[in-house]
Amino acid sequence: MDKPAKKAIIIKVNGKEQPYTTETSTLLEWSSDDSDERYEKQNDSLQFETDSKRYKKRSPWRSFLLAIALAVVLGTSFGLFVLTIIPTTDTSSTATLQQEQKEEEPVAQRTETVFVVQGGVFQDTEAAKAYAQKIKGQHRPSVMVGKQPIYVFLGMALTKEEAKKIAGLYEPLGIDTYVKAWNVSVDEKENEPFMTIVSAISLLLDGQKLSNEQWNQLQSYSFHDEQMKKAYEALFAFRQTNDQAQLWAAQQHILNVLQ
């Protein structure tokens, strides 16, 4: 009786069908070991990647870089703000400093010698005030100059002769006068206008007339001193009205410059 044929055991190794033999068994063991090794390596690789991601996730570099970027943005913004503010502040401070220096700079003065008509000299302020008011009560100018003593001046001219003519106008009023030289300090820029006005007033009080050229010269000046400006206005008021009161008013204003 024939024995049934033995069926070969077929297995798959690495996806290929092979009959089971001793060599195949060895190969299976190697393949199994190799698969285990690859599996372990794969697990190790996955573990490494997982750990790497966790490490990156927890890395402080991202926070550090973010802090640096924020600092740069804030620093730049603050710098632009400072650059915008400082020039204005510096300009304002410079302008203020220049203004203060300008105010502190002494105005250049020039001393001129004129001749004044003196009405009296006093040691007592009240006595000087009473005398000055008496003169004004007679519609004539007067000004108090100095402290100890106090002088009361009634007129002013550029020359002694012109001053004496003004003094003569007080004789009919019974007022004694004395003519003497007097130094006056005037802003250097207004020195010429001051001398021109003084001369014009004394000439007009003496009954003389000013030429058109002299009037035009007066009109060419720009007066900054308030008293000189008022004297100038009174002179032109006299020119238009021929009112002697305006002429004496001009003399009063120019005398006030001596105070």
Side-chain angles (χ1 to χ4, degrees), residues 59-79:
S59 174
W61 285 103
R62 182 177 298 177
S63 299
F64 180 72
L65 293 175
L66 181 60
I68 291 177
L70 182 60
V72 170
V73 172
L74 292 176
T76 303
S77 301
F78 181 76

Side-chain angles (χ1 to χ4, degrees), residues 183-224:
N183 292 331
V184 55
S185 294
V186 183
D187 185 344
E188 189 170 341
K189 294 181 180 179
E190 295 194 317
N191 179 71
E192 183 179 339
F194 171 77
M195 301 296 281
T196 303
I197 290 178
V198 172
S199 177
I201 293 173
S202 60
L203 290 175
L204 292 171
L205 284 174
D206 189 39
Q208 300 183 43
K209 294 183 178 181
L210 299 182
S211 64
N212 290 332
E213 183 179 354
Q214 288 174 308
W215 285 114
N216 291 336
Q217 184 179 7
L218 285 170
Q219 287 180 311
S220 68
Y221 296 131
S222 177
F223 300 99
H224 298 286

